[in-house]
Amino acid sequence: MGFAELRERMVRELVERGAIVSAAVEAAFRAVPRHRFAPGVPAAEVYGAPEAIFTKRAEGGRAVSSISASWLHARMLEAAELAPGMRALEIGSGGCNAALLAEMVGPDGSVTSVDIDPEITGRARRLLDETGYARVQVRTGDGAQPLAETPAEGWDRIVVTTGAADLPDAWFGQLAPQGRLIVPLRFRGLSRTLAFAWEGEHLRSDTTVISGFLAMQGQSAHAPRSVRLAGPEVRLVVDEGQPTDDRALRGAFATHPNERWTGVELTGSEGLLPPLNVWLAGAVSPYGRLRASSAAAERGLVGWVPSIGAGAVWNDDSLAYLALRRAPGEGEH
Ligand SMILES: C[S@@+](CC[C@H](N)C(=O)[O-])C[C@H]1O[C@@H](n2cnc3c(N)ncnc32)[C@H](O)[C@@H]1O
């Protein structure tokens, strides 16, 4: 299948699954040659990939840069509500998303993309030039810091493509009064892309997309901590400001669990857990995520928790987490 057909099929699938909603985003996806931003990767993989394509790894294999999945590019572009003539700032470069942004804002708008890694900006610059997007500005720097090129009225759109643990002051200061800030936030072990607009002095999000992003580096870098509860297989993932007495929690985990089932039955497509997790993360402190391998659950070491982890709360020497089980008397859910 040729590039054009592969792209057409990707666009059709994104429309069918509701990731692309507007004609403008659809047109941008048709225009951008996605495969040219992942040289060396087979085009069928680039257009068919359900997840990100990693473009740079640090020593030891940890991914530090990628081209985000097409569905996520689409959801973020839809959430950004871009229009011709706007000035957009992208934080975290790769080329592909900047090209999509450039299509959305058109020749009267502008796109500036900033990345902390000079190797990534060098690559993005080259790929954007080669694909006809020389008008995109590419800068090397920490995107959490104020950018000299910021227009006096601020950016109409700031699209962050790296997982942030907080909103740095610079983003508040650089967002225009009618601006929108799209940002993947990592908080208390959860990852959600939010779309903020001003509401008086505050920012309020009207969109939530469950999404994983590579963590932000630089001055705002923030690494969650992992507390081993039972070897490497069962861990509590904890953010800053969430104190733990690791030894006491390990001791608590080793005691016989006290099970209480809620009686709430979910179907696979119900979607109740994600908003419940966000609510718990905001309402209960400390809050973190309990992660466990399915092998550990099969051995009875821990209740069954999804691969992205389960909401967990604790005090000094006691811990509770939300496990799932097959509904009594039911088949596979
Ligand atoms: C997921 S990739 C960007 C994807 C890209 N926008 C695309 O077209 O799909 C995340 C990038 O964020 C960059 N990054 C991490 N921390 C940063 C920071 N503080 N400021 C700017 N860029 C940062 C990384 O170097 C990495 O290249």
Side-chain angles (χ1 to χ4, degrees):
M1 209 183 271
F3 301 133
E5 283 169 287
L6 286 168
R7 198 174 320 150
E8 190 51 39
R9 189 168 70 176
M10 175 189 72
V11 171
R12 263 202 322 271
E13 282 170 10
L14 292 173
V15 170
E16 272 163 25
R17 70 186 279 188
I20 292 180
V21 181
S22 64
V25 171
E26 187 173 339
F29 265 79
R30 286 219 163 85
V32 171
R34 194 175 187 82
H35 62 285
R36 303 266 308 267
F37 294 96
V41 182
E45 198 177 311
V46 178
Y47 285 106
E51 299 301 334
I53 293 176
F54 297 115
T55 50
K56 182 174 175 183
R57 291 185 184 270
E59 266 177 45
R62 185 175 53 87
V64 288
S65 196
S66 64
I67 297 178
S68 299
S70 54
W71 68 267
L72 192 47
H73 276 158
R75 296 287 309 267
M76 290 178 84
L77 285 188
E78 292 288 4
E81 298 175 6
L82 290 136
M86 283 184 173
R87 282 161 300 188
L89 171 66
E90 179 193 47
I91 295 174
S93 311
C96 188
N97 190 51
L100 289 163
L101 290 170
E103 289 290 338
M104 301 283 301
V105 300
D108 295 334
S110 76
V111 177
T112 300
S113 180
V114 55
D115 200 290
I116 200 163
D117 184 337
E119 190 183 324
I120 299 298
T121 47
R123 184 178 180 277
R125 174 73 280 153
R126 180 170 50 80
L127 296 175
L128 285 162
D129 287 345
E130 286 172 9
T131 47
Y133 294 98
R135 65 182 190 276
V136 173
Q137 305 289 313
V138 180
R139 299 282 177 267
T140 303
D142 187 336
Q145 302 298 317
L147 194 72
E149 289 89 338
T150 302
E153 323 70 51
W155 300 100
D156 298 312
R157 298 295 181 260
I158 300 178
V159 179
V160 184
T161 65
T162 173
D166 204 349
L167 302 184
D169 289 346
W171 299 349
F172 285 89
Q174 296 182 131
L175 188 64
Q178 303 304 319
R180 284 176 77 75
L181 166 65
I182 317 304
V183 53
L185 264 189
R186 298 152 63 100
F187 53 99
R188 302 211 172 159
L190 300 173
S191 266
R192 299 286 189 278
T193 295
L194 304 175
F196 291 102
W198 289 109
E199 191 181 78
E201 305 269 291
H202 305 280
L203 290 173
R204 185 188 176 91
S205 167
D206 54 21
T207 307
T208 309
V209 181
I210 299 178
S211 49
F213 265 90
L214 299 174
M216 195 157 192
Q217 305 161 38
Q219 280 188 12
S220 317
H222 160 84
R225 215 160 39 85
S226 235
V227 180
R228 285 184 176 204
L229 295 175
E233 282 182 298
V234 186
R235 303 174 290 129
L236 185 64
V237 181
V238 181
D239 271 327
E240 258 165 37
Q242 305 289 292
T244 56
D245 179 336
D246 298 9
R247 216 142 84 100
L249 289 183
R250 261 192 292 280
F253 194 77
T255 60
H256 188 70
N258 188 353
E259 284 183 2
R260 289 281 182 281
W261 292 101
T262 61
V264 177
E265 290 191 17
L266 305 172
T267 58
S269 59
E270 195 133 17
L272 177 70
L273 279 178
L276 174 66
N277 284 327
V278 173
W279 183 83
L280 277 173
V284 187
S285 186
Y287 172 94
R289 306 286 293 164
L290 185 127
R291 290 187 166 229
S293 64
S294 49
E298 276 157 24
R299 295 208 310 280
L301 204 56
V302 62
W304 190 82
V305 298
S307 56
I308 54 163
V313 296
W314 61 93
N315 58 22
D316 301 336
D317 58 359
S318 151
L319 168 93
Y321 65 95
L322 195 61
L324 300 179
R325 66 173 174 179
R326 196 170 297 169
E330 294 292 322
E332 198 77 45
H333 283 276

